[in-house]
Amino acid sequence: MNFDGNFYNPSEEVVNNAHIKDWNKLNKFASENPEKFWTSMAEELHWFKKWDKFLDESNAPFYQFFVNAKTNITYNCLDVHKNSYRRNKLAYIWEGEDGSTRSISYNELYNEVCKFSNVLKSMNVQKGDIVTIYMGRVPELVIAMLACARIGAVHSVVYGGFSTESLHERIEDSVSKVVITCDGAYQRGKLVNLKDITDGAVDRSGVVQHVICVKRTGQEVNMLAGRDMWYHELMQLPIASIHCKAEQTDAEDPLFILYTSGTTGKPKAILHTHGGYMVGVYASLKYVFDIKDEDRYWCAADPGWITGHSYIVYGPLLNGTTSIIYEGAPNFPFPDRWWEIVEKYGVNILYTAPTAIRGLMRFGDAWAKRHDLSSLRLLGSVGEPINPEAWRWYNEVIGDGKCPIMDTWWQTETGMFMITPMPCMPLKPGSGTKPFPGIEMDILDEEGNSVADNEEGFLVIKNPWPSMMRTIYGNDERYVEQYWQKYPGMYMTGDSARRDSDGYYWVIGRVDDVIKVSGYRLGTAEIESALVSYPDVAEAAAIGLPHELKGNAIHCFVILKSGVTNADELPDKLKLHIRHEVGPIAVPEKIEIVDKLPKTRSGKIMRRVLKAQALGQDPGNLSTLED
Ligand code: WT7
């Protein structure tokens, strides 16, 4: 890329080889005629029956897309490729943390998914049933997700780093009859016993009838007769045939739910559907990461998050690409593990998070320089704003100055990239450039007016888009209240941003009580409720403060119950408690014991005051402060 003082411009070669060479032209077409734009993308996919209508807005904000169409996302992920020249192309190359490897072709993936679909059917899993999946980063996780979707069941993947408590809550909330797990997972050379954690969640739950366990580590686990079954044994039964027709799902039938943290209360289940979600992730991956048939693409996220759902599982398979899945940590056993993988498999596209980039940058350039990374053609970033220093390192040391960086802004709720460059666009480090064609966004002040250039405001989305969430599962009111109430007719992202005079968006961060820690999304409410569930704690407040590696780190303030002694050891005990209640990702950086918390007269904790105090900034308007 050539830097002209304002923009990093892609080379002529990059532009000439890209699917989209003229972003402005595509954007103009899409904004003047969104229906034509989206339906032309939909036409590239298979439908058992086409739609009667592209968009039904009659019950907004409960929008419907591709009304009355019939499809099944797995038909487009599997059958279409199996019936084409891609039959024996690799769908996945998997590398375990321990060095073991597996290659899975489209044909083989099709067979495995059909087999497991039949297993699920034999357990009486039916269309619309929710199945919880709690696993490490192994191919069976993808197979399990696809098998659910194939029979019209709804998967609910819970990230393997969550605790028993969090898993229990999600199983209960979604009323899952079946849970799929592993015996264990490798984590920096250590074994984590996932089956134990699952048992802890399932034993207390009245809803689970069966637990299916994938053998990954071979460690000793308890198998409860009648309830627990080994995946590999089920897959050998005659019932597990390699033929299973994809259920003809309605475009609006649910595909999955995924829990994510919100502003208040418990994590909420974001619901996505077969039709619109499919079109959105297919089109966005194709154009943004410019997928070509010969590419090897690596999204280094965890399939347990939306990034993995959209851009490890569905997007890449819809595009018939070959993806890498790596099981372990980026710096295990050495800080060049990722660069070794890029070289070994000839990865062309690498998509990761700023926190990982900063983490690897810290070890110096030499680890990357030991490897031939010349196969890379595009890089990507997601999860939080990328600081210009990390952007430049990623560009220069990893991309050798020739790989455009796709800084993609989106959310669990949006399903797909919303603010993102395409390879043909000039870049600015730290900006995701402009909204994806067909998406209309704006930045508003408190009253709902667009702010001037370079001014900060609330980031909103002004028109519905196919891959948008449909609701919060089981809580339509909360869906309306949380996303559509502040500015009627517009979707509230919960982020603040500014737009510069070139029309480029700069996302600043959350304006609600969500904290992004190493790209993970956590709610202050979850951390606080874990803290007050500890017997010695009377009240608690959690805030996010800037952190060099993690982006933000959690800082907590607690008031103890009267008469509590031994307060010195309490912060450490509380950290352990949060690890048990929520999971290791939620462990605070610091816990301070205080006598008082700033509150409004109605008793709400004023976190912004705590934050300003901690940062030595002006706390702003204090008129509502109680004392
Ligand atoms: C929040 C959504 C969607 C994939 C991963 C996160 C922040 C995400 C960026 C980016 C600045 C970003 C926002 C957003 N975010 N990508 N490129 N630049 N901020 O999904 O867990 O639902 O979190 O992540 O704050 O609201 P998520």
Coordinates of all heavy atoms in Angstrom, one line a residue, residues 260 305-307 351 381-386 407-414 419 430 432 493-495 507-510 516 519-521, ligand 1:
T260 N -25.3 -12.9 24.5 CA -24.3 -11.8 24.6 C -24.7 -10.9 25.7 O -25.9 -10.8 26.1 CB -24.2 -11.1 23.2 OG1 -23.0 -10.3 23.3 CG2 -25.4 -10.2 22.9
W305 N -18.2 -17.6 19.3 CA -18.7 -16.2 19.3 C -19.3 -15.9 17.9 O -19.1 -16.6 17.0 CB -17.5 -15.2 19.5 CG -16.9 -15.4 20.8 CD1 -15.7 -16.0 21.0 CD2 -17.3 -15.0 22.1 NE1 -15.4 -16.1 22.4 CE2 -16.4 -15.4 23.1 CE3 -18.5 -14.4 22.6 CZ2 -16.5 -15.2 24.4 CZ3 -18.6 -14.1 23.9 CH2 -17.7 -14.6 24.9
I306 N -19.9 -14.7 17.8 CA -20.6 -14.4 16.5 C -19.5 -14.4 15.4 O -19.8 -14.8 14.3 CB -21.4 -13.1 16.6 CG1 -22.2 -12.9 15.3 CG2 -20.4 -11.9 16.7 CD1 -23.4 -13.9 15.2
T307 N -18.3 -13.9 15.7 CA -17.3 -13.9 14.6 C -17.1 -15.3 14.0 O -17.0 -15.5 12.8 CB -16.0 -13.3 15.2 OG1 -16.2 -12.2 15.9 CG2 -15.0 -13.0 14.1
Y351 N -7.7 -13.1 9.7 CA -8.7 -12.2 10.3 C -8.6 -12.4 11.8 O -8.8 -13.5 12.3 CB -10.1 -12.6 9.8 CG -11.3 -11.7 10.3 CD1 -11.1 -10.4 10.5 CD2 -12.5 -12.3 10.4 CE1 -12.2 -9.6 10.9 CE2 -13.6 -11.6 10.7 CZ -13.5 -10.2 11.0 OH -14.6 -9.5 11.4
S381 N -9.4 -7.2 11.0 CA -9.4 -6.9 12.4 C -10.8 -6.7 12.9 O -11.6 -6.2 12.2 CB -8.6 -5.6 12.7 OG -8.7 -5.2 14.0
V382 N -11.1 -7.2 14.1 CA -12.5 -7.0 14.6 C -12.5 -7.1 16.1 O -11.6 -7.7 16.8 CB -13.4 -8.2 14.1 CG1 -12.9 -9.5 14.6 CG2 -14.8 -8.0 14.5
G383 N -13.5 -6.5 16.7 CA -13.8 -6.7 18.1 C -13.7 -5.4 19.0 O -14.4 -5.2 20.0
E384 N -12.8 -4.5 18.6 CA -12.6 -3.2 19.3 C -11.9 -2.3 18.3 O -11.3 -2.8 17.3 CB -11.9 -3.5 20.6 CG -10.6 -4.2 20.3 CD -9.7 -4.4 21.5 OE1 -9.6 -3.5 22.4 OE2 -9.1 -5.5 21.6
P385 N -11.8 -1.0 18.6 CA -11.0 -0.2 17.8 C -9.5 -0.6 17.8 O -9.0 -1.0 18.8 CB -11.1 1.2 18.4 CG -12.3 1.1 19.3 CD -12.4 -0.3 19.8
I386 N -8.9 -0.6 16.6 CA -7.5 -0.9 16.5 C -6.7 0.3 16.6 O -6.9 1.3 15.9 CB -7.2 -1.8 15.3 CG1 -5.7 -2.2 15.3 CG2 -7.6 -1.1 14.0 CD1 -5.3 -3.3 14.3
D407 N -10.7 -3.5 8.6 CA -11.1 -3.3 10.0 C -12.6 -3.3 10.0 O -13.3 -2.3 9.6 CB -10.5 -1.9 10.5 CG -11.0 -1.6 11.9 OD1 -11.7 -2.3 12.5 OD2 -10.5 -0.5 12.4
T408 N -13.2 -4.4 10.5 CA -14.7 -4.6 10.3 C -15.4 -4.3 11.6 O -15.1 -4.9 12.7 CB -14.9 -6.1 10.0 OG1 -14.4 -6.9 11.0 CG2 -14.3 -6.4 8.6
W409 N -16.3 -3.3 11.6 CA -17.1 -3.0 12.8 C -18.5 -3.7 12.6 O -19.1 -3.6 11.6 CB -17.4 -1.5 12.9 CG -18.2 -1.3 14.1 CD1 -17.9 -1.0 15.4 CD2 -19.7 -1.3 14.1 NE1 -19.0 -0.8 16.2 CE2 -20.1 -1.0 15.5 CE3 -20.7 -1.5 13.2 CZ2 -21.4 -1.0 15.9 CZ3 -22.0 -1.5 13.6 CH2 -22.4 -1.2 14.9
W410 N -18.8 -4.5 13.6 CA -20.2 -5.2 13.6 C -20.4 -5.7 15.0 O -19.7 -5.4 15.9 CB -20.3 -6.2 12.5 CG -19.3 -7.3 12.5 CD1 -17.9 -7.2 12.4 CD2 -19.5 -8.7 12.7 NE1 -17.4 -8.5 12.4 CE2 -18.3 -9.4 12.7 CE3 -20.7 -9.5 12.9 CZ2 -18.2 -10.8 12.8 CZ3 -20.6 -10.8 13.1 CH2 -19.4 -11.5 13.0
Q411 N -21.5 -6.4 15.2 CA -22.0 -6.9 16.5 C -22.7 -8.2 16.4 O -23.1 -8.6 15.3 CB -23.0 -5.9 17.1 CG -22.6 -4.4 17.1 CD -23.7 -3.6 17.7 OE1 -24.8 -3.5 17.1 NE2 -23.3 -2.8 18.7
T412 N -22.8 -8.9 17.5 CA -23.6 -10.1 17.5 C -25.0 -9.9 16.9 O -25.5 -10.7 16.1 CB -23.8 -10.6 19.0 OG1 -22.5 -10.6 19.6 CG2 -24.4 -11.9 19.1
E413 N -25.5 -8.7 17.2 CA -26.8 -8.4 16.7 C -26.9 -8.1 15.2 O -28.0 -8.4 14.6 CB -27.3 -7.1 17.4 CG -27.6 -7.2 18.9 CD -26.3 -7.0 19.7 OE1 -25.2 -7.1 19.2 OE2 -26.5 -6.6 20.9
T414 N -25.8 -7.6 14.6 CA -25.9 -7.3 13.2 C -25.7 -8.5 12.3 O -26.0 -8.4 11.1 CB -24.9 -6.2 12.8 OG1 -23.6 -6.7 12.9 CG2 -25.1 -4.9 13.7
I419 N -19.7 -1.7 9.2 CA -18.8 -0.6 8.7 C -17.5 -1.4 8.4 O -16.9 -2.0 9.2 CB -18.5 0.4 9.8 CG1 -19.7 1.1 10.3 CG2 -17.4 1.4 9.3 CD1 -19.5 2.1 11.4
G430 N -7.2 2.7 12.0 CA -8.1 3.0 13.1 C -9.5 3.3 12.7 O -10.4 3.3 13.5
G432 N -12.8 2.0 10.2 CA -13.4 0.9 9.4 C -13.9 1.5 8.1 O -14.7 0.8 7.5
T493 N -26.9 1.2 18.3 CA -25.8 0.2 18.4 C -25.3 0.1 19.8 O -24.6 -0.9 20.1 CB -24.7 0.6 17.4 OG1 -24.1 1.8 17.9 CG2 -25.1 0.8 16.0
G494 N -25.4 1.2 20.6 CA -24.7 1.2 21.9 C -23.3 1.7 21.8 O -22.6 1.7 22.8
D495 N -22.8 2.1 20.6 CA -21.5 2.6 20.5 C -21.5 4.1 20.2 O -22.5 4.6 19.7 CB -20.8 2.0 19.2 CG -20.2 0.6 19.6 OD1 -20.6 0.0 20.6 OD2 -19.4 0.1 18.8
V507 N -15.1 4.5 15.2 CA -15.9 4.0 16.3 C -15.0 4.2 17.6 O -13.8 3.9 17.6 CB -16.2 2.5 16.1 CG1 -16.9 1.9 17.4 CG2 -17.2 2.4 14.9
I508 N -15.6 4.8 18.6 CA -14.9 5.1 19.8 C -15.0 4.0 20.8 O -14.1 3.6 21.4 CB -15.3 6.5 20.3 CG1 -14.9 7.5 19.3 CG2 -14.6 6.8 21.7 CD1 -15.7 8.8 19.4
G509 N -16.3 3.6 21.1 CA -16.5 2.5 22.0 C -17.9 2.5 22.6 O -18.7 3.3 22.1
R510 N -18.1 1.7 23.5 CA -19.5 1.5 24.1 C -19.9 2.7 24.9 O -19.1 3.3 25.6 CB -19.6 0.3 25.0 CG -19.2 -1.0 24.3 CD -20.2 -1.5 23.2 NE -21.5 -1.6 23.7 CZ -22.5 -2.2 23.0 NH1 -22.2 -2.9 21.9 NH2 -23.7 -2.2 23.5
K516 N -15.8 -4.0 26.7 CA -15.1 -4.9 25.8 C -13.7 -5.2 26.4 O -12.8 -4.3 26.4 CB -14.9 -4.3 24.4 CG -16.2 -4.0 23.7 CD -16.9 -5.3 23.2 CE -16.2 -5.9 22.1 NZ -16.9 -6.9 21.3
G519 N -11.6 -7.8 23.5 CA -12.6 -8.1 22.4 C -13.8 -8.9 22.9 O -14.8 -8.9 22.2
Y520 N -13.7 -9.4 24.1 CA -14.9 -10.1 24.7 C -15.9 -9.1 25.2 O -15.5 -8.1 25.8 CB -14.5 -11.1 25.8 CG -13.6 -12.2 25.4 CD1 -12.3 -12.4 26.0 CD2 -14.0 -13.1 24.5 CE1 -11.5 -13.4 25.6 CE2 -13.2 -14.2 24.1 CZ -12.0 -14.3 24.7 OH -11.2 -15.4 24.3
R521 N -17.1 -9.4 25.1 CA -18.2 -8.5 25.6 C -18.7 -8.9 26.9 O -19.2 -10.1 27.1 CB -19.2 -8.5 24.5 CG -20.4 -7.7 24.7 CD -21.1 -7.5 23.4 NE -22.5 -7.1 23.6 CZ -23.4 -6.9 22.6 NH1 -23.0 -7.2 21.4 NH2 -24.6 -6.6 22.9
Ligands
WT7_1 C1 -19.0 -4.5 19.9 C2 -19.8 -5.7 19.5 C3 -18.8 -8.6 15.8 C4 -17.6 -9.3 16.1 C5 -17.0 -9.2 17.4 C6 -17.7 -8.5 18.5 C7 -17.0 -3.5 19.3 C8 -16.5 -4.7 17.1 C9 -15.2 -3.3 16.2 C10 -14.3 -2.6 15.3 C11 -14.4 -0.8 16.9 C12 -15.6 -2.7 17.4 C13 -18.2 -2.4 19.3 C14 -19.4 -3.3 19.1 N1 -16.4 -3.6 18.0 N2 -15.7 -4.5 16.1 N3 -13.8 -3.0 14.2 N4 -13.9 -1.3 15.8 N5 -15.2 -1.5 17.7 O1 -19.1 -8.7 18.6 O2 -19.2 -9.2 21.0 O3 -21.3 -8.4 19.7 O4 -19.4 -6.8 20.3 O5 -17.7 -4.7 19.7 O6 -18.2 -1.8 20.5 O7 -20.6 -2.7 19.6 P1 -19.8 -8.3 20.0

